[in-house]
Amino acid sequence: AISARTFADGAKTLERTLLWLRSQGIRRVYLAGLSNGAVGAHVLGGRAMPPGIELRGRVLISGAEARAPAPRVPVLLVQGTRDTMMPTRIMRDVATRLGRRATWFEVDSGHFAFLDHHEACEQAIATWLLSVRRAPETTVPGANSSRN
């Protein structure tokens, strides 16, 4: 579980980052995180975005919060099948709860799936980002699932 102080610090960091991106002319963002960073992206991504910023999706790698509100944007979940730090069943439960907004990608790895299989994970993320970018504004990509 994330402490209240860590959550508050993460919320401030996210807000400052989003405001900086807006000042640079960036309007559409994808929020991503790895492990506890993914938990933070999952939880904090549900907060209101600053005016002028559109959250287009989330990438959660080896981390999610089972009790976080379901996001209204597409979500890619990347998970190692043998992860004991963030059990696969929790990530699968989150993906199931998200339904059509979720895209599932898993690799034969422990908690460090992104490091152990970085090429496959990078390809999955790139493919997902392109699919979300090309999706009509009124729909989200279907419930895709792949395993490597």
Side-chain angles (χ1 to χ4, degrees):
I2 296 177
S3 72
R5 180 182 170 121
T6 300
F7 181 83
D9 289 347
K12 287 178 190 174
T13 300
L14 176 60
E15 182 177 10
R16 283 193 308 265
T17 301
L18 293 171
L19 292 173
W20 180 84
L21 289 170
R22 187 179 68 190
S23 77
Q24 301 302 304
I26 296 169
R27 300 290 184 249
R28 292 180 173 173
V29 298
Y30 297 84
L31 191 55
L34 171 65
S35 191
N36 276 342
V39 173
H42 192 195
V43 173
L44 294 173
R47 300 171 70 97
M49 293 288 114
I53 294 289
E54 176 190 359
L55 179 62
R56 299 278 294 163
R58 298 184 205 176
V59 178
L60 308 178
I61 304 168
S62 301
E65 172 54 56
R67 297 174 306 243
R72 294 185 176 133
V73 296
V75 177
L76 172 63
L77 297 103
V78 178
Q79 180 68 14
T81 57
R82 296 178 281 110
D83 190 338
T84 57
M85 295 177 78
M86 173 54 65
T88 301
R89 84 178 148 68
I90 292 173
M91 295 286 284
R92 281 192 182 133
D93 288 348
V94 169
T96 298
R97 188 167 49 92
L98 297 177
R100 292 183 45 83
R101 288 184 304 272
T103 300
W104 177 260
F105 182 77
E106 66 182 30
V107 292
D108 182 21
S109 178
H111 187 64
F112 299 101
F114 189 76
L115 299 175
D116 295 342
H117 297 280
H118 64 89
E119 291 174 353
C121 291
E122 287 171 10
Q123 183 62 48
I125 293 167
T127 300
W128 179 82
L129 285 169
L130 289 171
S131 74
V132 171
R133 183 171 165 238
R134 292 182 181 139
E137 297 291 327
T138 57
T139 64
V140 295
N144 300 319
S145 179
S146 60
R147 183 168 186 202
N148 192 359

